[in-house]
Structures are given as structure tokens and as C-alpha cells.
Amino acid sequence: EAIWCYRKALKLNPTDKETEENLEFARLYQVDKIGERKSFFLLLLFTSLPRVLGLGLLSWLVTLVWWLALASLLLFFVYRKRSKIIKTLMLATLLLLVWFGLSLWSGANAEEKKVGVVLAGQAEAKSGPGEDYISLFTVHQGLECEIEEKRADWYLIYLSNGSRGWVPAKALGLI
């Protein structure tokens, strides 16, 4: 249950370093050690910023950069010489606006995903939502997963290695 509690705490305060360290320590005792798929390095630019800054601060930064972009655009049209400094300022603010805006969008999408942690000692992941289906794999306490669907008392979970299976709802804790 420690992983579940720390993940819930990080949802409330994503910048808390102490909670992150405690979560990493608790993960050391997991039975299932499933590594995350490697992301394309440019995607990390957009997905890591919301975790580091939080959505609230990132929203303020997007707003600030938006106004800076408007001001630089105004300078570009008002100032007749259109110096390299103004062009550089305009380009830089537009790039920052795109970067921060896509990061904010990425963070908002990540918050919409349903995530769970296995709380039962172990549970069988089945090929369908019921005990009569074939067992695909076993999940153990502390395993983190995305929840794609719910039917009756079963969740379709997705693991970071690409595996999918149906797990009883009583075995999972939602974050």
C-alpha cells in the first residue's frame, strides 16, 4: 500500500522531493520489476516539464509567454527597422510558447489517465473480465498500471511493457 499512498501524495503535490524519494525506496521492494518503455528523447521535453513544475505553475508560464509573444509581435510591427534582436525575441517567445503549451497539454492528458496500483498480495490477470477466462500473467502488490476499461468488478489494465489483462477490481487501488 505504500506505493499507492505515495502516488496519491504525488498527485496532490507533484514537486515534493521527499515523497518521490520514498516512492523510489518503496519500489525497491516490488516483486514485479517492469521497466518503462523508452520514450523518444524529444517527447521527454514535453512530458517531464509538467511533472517538474506542476500544472499550476506551467499554466502561469504559458500565460506569461503568451503575453511576451504578443508584445514581441507588437514590437515587430511597430518598430520599422525590425532589428535582429526583435526577430530573435519574437522567435524565442514563440518557441517557448509552443514548448510550454504542448507540455501543458501533455500534463493535462496525463492527469486524465486512470492509474492504479495492485494492493492484493497477488492477482491473476485474465484474458477477459471473469474467473472463467484464461490466466495471462500474475501481478503482485505494488505494481503500477494504467486502467483502460472497467466491466462489472474487473479492470482492464495496461502495463508499461505492453501487457494487458483483466484484474479483479478488489485487487487494485485507484490513484
Side-chain angles (χ1 to χ4, degrees), residues 13-48:
N13 185 4
T15 58
D16 186 4
K17 297 291 182 206
E18 203 171 298
T19 304
E20 282 181 22
E21 291 169 1
N22 288 335
L23 176 60
E24 289 306 314
F25 182 73
R27 284 179 176 155
L28 292 174
Y29 294 96
Q30 276 183 295
V31 174
D32 297 326
K33 305 234 186 249
I34 299 175
E36 290 188 27
R37 285 185 171 176
K38 298 289 181 192
S39 296
F40 184 57
F41 75 98
L42 287 177
L43 287 178
L44 292 176
L45 286 174
F46 301 112
T47 57
S48 61

Side-chain angles (χ1 to χ4, degrees), residues 55 103-114:
L55 290 181
S103 294
L104 185 62
W105 177 75
S106 165
N109 280 347
E111 284 214 348
E112 288 179 9
K113 289 182 183 177
K114 290 184 181 178

Side-chain angles (χ1 to χ4, degrees), residues 21-159:
E21 291 169 1
N22 288 335
L23 176 60
E24 289 306 314
F25 182 73
R27 284 179 176 155
L28 292 174
Y29 294 96
Q30 276 183 295
V31 174
D32 297 326
K33 305 234 186 249
I34 299 175
E36 290 188 27
R37 285 185 171 176
K38 298 289 181 192
S39 296
F40 184 57
F41 75 98
L42 287 177
L43 287 178
L44 292 176
L45 286 174
F46 301 112
T47 57
S48 61
L49 203 56
R51 283 185 301 214
V52 172
L53 299 177
L55 290 181
L57 179 58
L58 193 55
S59 299
W60 281 104
L61 284 175
V62 167
T63 305
L64 176 69
V65 172
W66 169 257
W67 286 108
L68 283 173
L70 287 178
S72 66
L73 192 63
L74 183 66
L75 277 175
F76 180 76
F77 286 118
V78 170
Y79 193 64
R80 291 205 164 100
K81 286 186 178 178
R82 295 190 178 143
S83 70
K84 288 186 179 187
I85 294 173
I86 292 176
K87 289 178 184 176
T88 305
L89 174 69
M90 192 171 82
L91 181 63
T93 55
L94 288 176
L95 287 175
L96 277 175
L97 184 62
V98 168
W99 180 31
F100 288 166
L102 287 174
S103 294
L104 185 62
W105 177 75
S106 165
N109 280 347
E111 284 214 348
E112 288 179 9
K113 289 182 183 177
K114 290 184 181 178
V115 181
V117 176
V118 177
L119 297 179
Q122 74 177 36
E124 296 295 320
K126 305 282 188 173
S127 60
E131 289 293 335
D132 299 336
Y133 289 90
I134 298 169
S135 181
L136 300 174
F137 53 90
T138 303
V139 293
H140 296 88
Q141 186 175 25
L143 180 67
E144 300 165 67
C145 56
E146 283 184 33
I147 298 170
E148 293 187 345
E149 188 179 339
K150 181 178 183 184
R151 283 194 203 160
D153 291 331
W154 291 80
Y155 286 117
L156 175 60
I157 63 169
Y158 174 77
L159 305 180

